[in-house]
Amino acid sequence: MPLNYTKKTLNHFLKPRNIGEIKNADAYAEIGNMVCGDQLNFSLKVEKGVIKDIKFMSFGCASNIATASIMTEKVKGMTLEEARNFDFNTITSELGGLPQQKIHCSVMAVQGLKKVIDNYEKKGEKVTNKKKVNRK
Amino acid sequence: MFIYLDNAATTQVDPRVLLAMEKYFLQDFANSSAIHIAGEKVDKDLNLAKEKVAKLLRADNKELIFTGSASEANNFIIKGVMRANKDKGKHLIVSQIEHPCVLAPAKELTQEGFEVSYVPVDKNGLVKLSELQKMIKPETVLVSIMTANNELGTVQDISKIAKIVKKAGAYFHTDAVQVVPYLDINMEKDNIDFLTLSAHKFHGPKGVGLAVISPEIKITPLITGGEQNNSLRAGTINTPGIIGFSKALEIAYRDKDKIREKVKGLRDYFLNKVKREIDKVELNGSLEKRLPSNLNLRFHGVEGEAVLMDLSQQGICVSTGSACSAQNLKTSYVLQALSITPDYLNSNIRFSFSKYNSKKELDETIKVLKASVARLRAFSPIK
């Protein structure tokens, strides 16, 4: 059974957007999938609660790369709140469909996005906590 | 561009094979089980073709049952022998790296109350003979170990294994689907009781498998409802398929020296050039005990399927692991059996060559491969 990736998926695989790592990023996250062994690393830059920049590195199959690519394209400019609610089904529909056995790639990309936002917010908390401590 | 380096999955039909088959579609199409003159003629030709096959496999005192696939042949032999010889015992031994069409029937049999043991392999993909020796017992009915593995091309010492099995009083089956014409098959000398082949792996037609069985060993059929093949496999005899099988096998062994030399030359050329041009590449499995047609390479830091898709976009066809496992996402159980570090299990590509490949094709492939690995490594988090 061939995978029959859509043209758009292949395009994002062959020319992935937002590839690499942001220097001095506000947060980083690594996410792996034990089932297929794929890995995604995200780096995030936030300005006034809005995603200013997001980049990714991938050790993964074509759909792993393509799903992360299109997701980063979509969430750039979103508020953290909007990005946190980003639905993995959006990736599939944006790509014009994914083979059934590759749906988990889009799930993993979204998990990675949530993780990097979590890491950003945790860091923020720590900073505010420290400030509170300092004030005392 | 179309470059086909997935010959372990299937091969191009040799035009001479197709030519030999043609008249059995258009002229001599009669049912070989019929008693009229046309049926008789076809039956005679089939017997000649079968004799040729038996001779090439040194299987003169065996019985040839042509099936719809090697999967069917393996199912037939494994299930058929175990089910028919319960009086002898209920123990089956297979290797960890058998094809799924051996492993699945073995698993099915456990649900019927049979006991199955799995012989491990070493890091080179070779069956641990000492383990086999320990596993085998008086209740062992059948031992099934493939001659050469489909993912790795690693070749087992079949003659030695068969001796151990025979000494213990068990029967021996080998799935030899990958080996024609790269190894000689000699069922008589090597004490092989059962053997499986498939025509499409050696430039014959798809849909024609072969189960070579021993007439003196009991076996129950999988498919019933007809007198064909001594009632061991019902169904109209696939005349063109069997003629094609026989012709393909004949050509393969007639030209074996030439083919072996050419394919090994191509394989070695490819391996050496890849190692020169791309860094951090490892070979999975033994190089010495390996079919000349196979290379299974590990490219550090990149995912196999991504490389495959890059090549595929340029018209170059390769595979990750076996064709079947490319669909499910689980990492290859064959590579796992070799105790390869989990980090490396997803970075593998199988290149399998045939007599129809050329050096020029390999140069072209390496060019695309090198660019793909560099592209993917540039954004891989695994350095």
Side-chain angles (χ1 to χ4, degrees):
Chain A
M1 213 176 39
L3 290 165
N4 294 322
Y5 285 132
T6 62
K7 264 194 182 140
K8 197 159 179 192
T9 306
L10 286 173
N11 181 282
H12 275 268
F13 161 62
L14 294 169
K15 295 184 184 96
R17 304 358 168 216
N18 305 309
I19 271 297
E21 195 179 282
I22 303 169
K23 273 186 190 153
N24 305 316
D26 294 322
Y28 298 92
E30 178 187 315
I31 190 133
N33 184 314
M34 292 311 286
V35 183
C36 62
D38 287 1
Q39 189 185 321
L40 285 171
N41 288 20
F42 287 97
S43 51
L44 182 71
K45 195 89 188 159
V46 181
E47 241 179 65
K48 291 176 189 158
V50 171
I51 295 180
K52 179 84 178 150
D53 199 8
I54 181 165
K55 285 191 187 298
F56 77 99
M57 306 275 272
S58 154
F59 170 81
C61 61
S63 78
N64 170 286
I65 296 166
T67 51
S69 169
I70 196 149
M71 184 189 73
T72 53
E73 205 177 55
K74 289 285 148 196
V75 301
K76 220 189 267 189
M78 278 188 183
T79 64
L80 291 180
E81 194 52 33
E82 285 168 339
R84 190 178 272 293
N85 292 317
F86 189 82
D87 185 0
F88 73 88
N89 290 306
T90 314
I91 296 178
T92 323
S93 57
E94 281 289 335
L95 289 173
L98 271 176
Q100 191 54 44
Q101 68 268 42
K102 296 290 184 182
I103 298 288
H104 77 277
C105 292
S106 58
V107 176
M108 183 174 139
V110 169
Q111 281 171 345
L113 174 66
K114 289 189 175 146
K115 197 170 172 186
V116 77
I117 295 173
D118 279 348
N119 288 350
Y120 171 76
E121 288 181 340
K122 264 188 241 159
K123 211 173 87 181
E125 265 169 42
K126 264 185 210 160
V127 173
T128 33
N129 285 344
K130 250 187 198 170
K131 277 179 187 166
K132 274 176 194 166
V133 173
N134 287 345
R135 267 177 209 154
K136 275 177 189 173
Chain B
M1 185 161 64
F2 173 58
I3 298 176
Y4 187 79
L5 300 177
D6 196 17
N7 290 283
T10 194
T11 58
Q12 181 193 324
V13 170
D14 188 310
R16 291 168 288 184
V17 171
L18 190 60
L19 202 69
M21 291 169 71
E22 196 185 59
K23 79 169 179 163
Y24 296 95
F25 286 106
L26 303 175
Q27 280 163 258
D28 296 330
F29 57 83
N31 192 321
S32 64
S33 303
I35 51 176
H36 49 62
I37 188 160
E40 239 175 39
K41 157 88 171 63
V42 173
D43 189 53
K44 216 170 100 192
D45 290 357
L46 275 170
N47 282 332
L48 285 173
K50 279 176 137 183
E51 269 170 38
K52 224 185 283 169
V53 171
K55 215 170 154 196
L56 286 164
L57 304 176
R58 303 286 181 276
D60 299 318
N61 41 28
K62 300 276 192 247
E63 194 173 340
L64 308 187
I65 311 288
F66 285 92
T67 61
S69 63
S71 295
E72 187 198 325
N74 281 339
N75 268 267
F76 168 49
I77 292 167
I78 305 277
K79 289 190 252 192
V81 173
M82 292 309 292
R83 285 173 183 162
N85 292 278
K86 284 182 196 159
D87 53 330
K88 198 169 141 60
K90 294 187 94 175
H91 184 225
L92 166 70
I93 299 177
V94 300
S95 88
Q96 277 182 343
I97 61 167
E98 291 304 306
H99 190 277
C101 69
V102 167
L103 295 176
K107 203 171 163 196
E108 251 179 82
L109 287 170
T110 59
Q111 280 148 19
E112 293 174 24
F114 291 92
E115 183 199 346
V116 183
S117 303
Y118 299 87
V119 206
V121 293
D122 63 17
K123 63 180 188 348
N124 286 319
L126 302 171
V127 164
K128 290 180 177 166
L129 297 182
S130 56
E131 294 289 325
L132 171 65
Q133 194 86 60
K134 267 186 253 169
M135 274 176 189
I136 207 162
K137 52 188 181 183
E139 302 77 47
T140 309
V141 175
L142 182 69
V143 176
S144 177
I145 292 172
M146 67 206 319
T147 306
N149 182 265
N150 49 308
E151 289 188 37
L152 298 167
T154 47
V155 176
Q156 309 296 339
D157 191 340
I158 285 306
S159 163
K160 219 175 193 172
I161 292 170
K163 247 181 227 154
I164 294 171
V165 175
K166 195 177 182 169
K167 210 173 152 200
Y171 305 132
F172 181 58
H173 165 241
T174 188
D175 172 353
V177 155
Q178 294 286 334
V179 315
V180 180
Y182 305 110
L183 301 172
D184 291 326
I185 296 174
N186 192 325
M187 291 189 72
E188 206 175 285
K189 188 178 123 251
D190 287 341
N191 292 307
I192 300 166
D193 299 304
F194 299 93
L195 183 118
T196 300
L197 285 180
S198 189
H200 75 99
K201 303 285 189 185
F202 47 89
H203 308 291
K206 290 172 184 56
V208 201
L210 170 65
V212 187
I213 65 172
S214 290
E216 70 276 12
I217 301 171
K218 284 181 285 181
I219 186 165
T220 50
L222 271 188
I223 301 168
T224 53
E227 303 286 308
Q228 298 91 349
N229 296 304
N230 295 326
S231 298
L232 284 173
R233 188 200 187 248
T236 301
I237 301 291
N238 176 5
T239 312
I242 295 169
I243 297 290
F245 185 111
S246 171
K247 187 73 185 172
L249 195 73
E250 185 193 353
I251 294 171
Y253 279 114
R254 192 191 62 206
D255 298 346
K256 66 176 183 180
D257 293 337
K258 232 169 47 197
I259 300 170
R260 287 174 190 177
E261 197 190 321
K262 178 177 179 182
V263 173
K264 186 175 183 301
L266 288 172
R267 197 268 313 266
D268 292 345
Y269 174 79
F270 188 82
L271 177 63
N272 291 331
K273 194 164 175 188
V274 165
K275 279 189 158 174
R276 263 202 323 273
E277 302 256 329
I278 305 172
D279 62 346
K280 291 190 187 169
V281 181
E282 300 289 335
L283 176 72
N284 293 315
S286 165
L287 180 62
E288 290 74 35
K289 290 182 178 170
R290 188 187 205 95
L291 297 176
S293 49
N294 175 297
L295 274 185
N296 191 310
L297 298 176
R298 193 157 78 223
F299 297 89
H300 180 81
V302 297
E303 217 261 1
E305 197 218 275
V307 177
L308 181 150
M309 289 307 293
D310 261 350
L311 296 183
S312 170
Q313 288 302 301
Q314 304 292 322
I316 302 169
C317 304
V318 298
S319 136
T320 56
S322 68
C324 313
S325 65
Q327 283 309 309
N328 66 57
L329 297 153
K330 278 177 257 151
T331 48
S332 155
Y333 64 92
V334 173
L335 292 175
Q336 278 175 348
L338 264 60
S339 310
I340 285 170
T341 322
D343 286 356
Y344 297 150
L345 283 170
N346 294 295
S347 300
N348 305 291
I349 296 278
R350 180 185 71 184
F351 302 90
S352 45
F353 310 93
S354 87
K355 63 178 180 181
Y356 291 128
N357 288 126
S358 69
K359 239 179 199 171
K360 208 178 138 214
E361 288 180 327
L362 302 188
D363 287 334
E364 203 55 55
T365 301
I366 291 169
K367 216 164 78 189
V368 178
L369 180 66
K370 190 179 174 180
S372 164
V373 172
R375 171 178 102 84
L376 296 166
R377 275 181 182 166
F379 58 80
S380 169
I382 296 169
K383 295 295 172 196

